[in-house]
Amino acid sequence: MKNLKSLLYLIILVALLAIPVIGITAASAAEHNPESIVRWCEDWPTYIDPAVGTDFSDTMAIVQLYDTLIFPNLDGSVRPHVAEKWDISDDFLTYTFYLRKGVKFHNGDELTAEDVVFSTERLFDIGEGFAYILQTKDAQGKIIAGIESVKAIDDYTVEFKLARPFGPFVPALVRLYILNKSQVMKNIDKSNAMYGEMGDYGKKWLLTNDAGSGPYKVKEMKMEESLLGEKFDDYWDGWEEGAPDFFKEFAFPGEVAIRTMMKNQELEITSETLPMEAYAALREIPGVETIAYLSTHNLQIMLNTRVPPTDDIHFRKALSWAMDYDVVVNDIWPYYVQSVGPVPQTLPGHNKDVLQYSYNLEKAKEEMAKSAYAGKENIPFTLSWCAEVPDEEKVALLFQVNAAEIGIDVEIFKKPFGLMIDDAQTVKTTPNGSVVYVAAHYNEAGSMLDTRYHSKSQGTWEQCEWLGSPNIDTAIEVALATVDEDERFKEYAEIQNTLVDLAPTIWLADQALEFGYQADYLVWPLAERVKAGKSSSPPMGYSFYVRDMKILVEKKAELLKK
Amino acid sequence: MTTKGMLTSSSLENPWARTLDSLKRTWYKFSRNWLSVLGLVMVVTIFFLAVFAPYVAPYPQHSGKFVDFKSKNQPPSWQHLMGTDTIGRDILSRIIFAFRNALLMAIVVLAISVPFGTLTGLTAGYYSGTWVETVIMRVTDVFISIPPIILALSIAAMLKPTLMNSMIAVTVSWWPWYTRITYSLASSIKNEYYVQAAELTGASKIYILFREILPNCSSSLLTKMALDVGWVTLVGAALSFVGLGEQPPKPALGTMIAEGVERMPTQWWIALFPALAIMFVVLGFNLFGDGIRDALSPEEA
């Protein structure tokens, strides 16, 4: 009896001793080093819900939190990701994807075909975000292109039926992010019946939470301020030594603050919208390097083709010939190159043979003489530029000077981007000219053409032209439905020719993204590629894929001591 | 003070001499403080530069539609005494042209708010104790309770950003101070014997208000006006600093500073010189205003 009692005490003693030990081991597994962090300051991500977010800062966050069926390589091609392989039917209307087993969501649930179906349907039901890339409806709501239906064959097989063949369907799937169905369903706000029995479809909850399986999960989302993401230890594809434990994306603090933060190692990568003087100053900081590479974004002045004087084609052509492109690419942004037509040159399907406008006042005056404004002086013209990108003012002022040479009086408005979005919603409020950057959403010319010039994007900031041409709409739809790549590219090329002839836009330059980064302790695959002289044009957001980066924590501490 | 006696005797014969005499006396009181004279010189300089801007500015075309990216961000040199900005424009020329709008703004704002404020203040002061006073002064209180810069900011933000609208915004926030100051003076002056005497002799209300009370408020009002040119410039610069004033490419001091702040400290000249220019205006009119107060003060020193 006594022995039994002693044994009991012994067990209790062992148990008591063991608790802290277990505690420590458990803690150390989850313990992440706050120094192992990548921070950038593009902006705080407004929408981390993949059915809503579309801009650069949104996608930078979404790619960390969610997985997709396929994954874009840095060279622009795609590789299998959550889908191990896929089959395509002979009529190019049915795509069957076979999912990897053992992919875990952040809450531990396994990712299955049901989740893919749910995520697709949710995207289309909400109809925001990148929905328009994967599905096109006509005015009556009938699906005319893209995904018509999706179903789960079994737990690991999912089948997409397309309304018509869609050439770049697989690359476009980089914008289909997979959410955890059961987790979203648990967090639906039923009091808001915006989507019928789906309530708010989890939109409110997903503003500050994630339901993904991506390499990082939301640790803290502060609206209007920042997103802190933490490494997801059970990521299905495993982790390499040195991969960052955290990432943080926050609001643009101003140029001066950026320089100070880079100096103090409080920031790893700068935003890409700084003036060139700022990059020069950044290069002076020890350990900081800058990289620049041509992206799939271009900078343009969108001309509202429905209001005078920009409704006149000759007037628009006159403007296209009056712009001094060399100043833009040499003196304002030395890494940019002049655009050749509406599609950035890095995108597959770009037509390099289209007419390229240049600074030629004679031709400008010729076109002006053909327009309805011939002989007139001080023709009023309104131009907006985006307050968040200080250098756009230089373009606006240059345009003003150039336009004055052919008798146009340009009035310039500095507008916060939010106001530009509001202005773009109606023909009347859209200014004659809007200085805007646009990015391709997946790596093909068709993405740019579809986003920029198909009537469905009218009323959004991505089309301030209000082109509304049924011929161009049809041409774009036909081209996207062409499965044969050569054939498809030929059709893209033809559309680009037509557009250049219509001159709805002054295509200024293909944007080189320039970033300052902590080269001494941050290993950034994109920067390595750029420095090796290889071209690099990942879809928007993927250049910041944190899982592939590395933070050399010891080196960082050493540098800080100096 | 022998000269003084001499002047006074001659002034009895000639009204022109009398005016000259009082001017000389005013100037004497004004010039006793060398800072006032400095202020006067500064004010004259500002007006001269503003009026003759197209002739005195080294590069007058830089104040309008002009870009020259080849010569951007140049530090001060003999070609560009205050350097060039990020667009390649001469900063000195732009400051000179910015004075024009700064002064125009001050003049317009004061030209509206002073008569309006004085009139309401006189009326309220003369009728103090009646409902007229209550209505005018409570409305004034409402406007005064909101800080002028915040009121101006919110008005300017609602309207389209132009120089005209920022003038309107500043005017709306400026007149109550003139009402207030005239009211307090008028409500005490109306009890003076000479006002009561005028009332007894049957002088009209208009006569009493404008010939008896107003002249006795004028020294305070003039002093405040001189000081306010500087303050209005400052508020105007604050508005243009946040983008609510004159729109580019036309120069505004606040806008120039806002552009330059981002370039500090490497390209210090872009922000520094416009900032000094604002200081010059505010200081000049303050010293000048002090001088006017001294000159118009009734007591002999």
Side-chain angles (χ1 to χ4, degrees), chain A residues 516-536:
Chain A
Y517 78 109
Q518 304 281 7
D520 271 7
Y521 68 85
L522 169 69
V523 181
W524 186 13
L526 179 98
E528 305 300 319
R529 248 189 99 84
V530 171
K531 281 197 268 186
K534 290 187 215 156
S535 80
S536 196

Side-chain angles (χ1 to χ4, degrees), chain A residues 124-146:
Chain A
F124 295 146
D125 286 349
I126 291 177
E128 297 169 34
F130 291 113
Y132 69 98
I133 291 176
L134 295 164
Q135 190 178 73
T136 310
K137 289 181 184 166
D138 65 10
Q140 283 74 45
K142 188 173 166 280
I143 298 163
I144 52 169

Side-chain angles (χ1 to χ4, degrees), chain A residues 255 277 331 400 409, chain B residues 65 70 72-73 262-263:
Chain A
E255 261 176 72
E277 295 87 2
D331 298 319
Q400 189 182 46
D409 183 23
Chain B
K65 293 173 183 172
K70 296 268 182 293
K72 66 182 170 188
N73 302 331
E262 298 291 334
R263 305 265 71 77

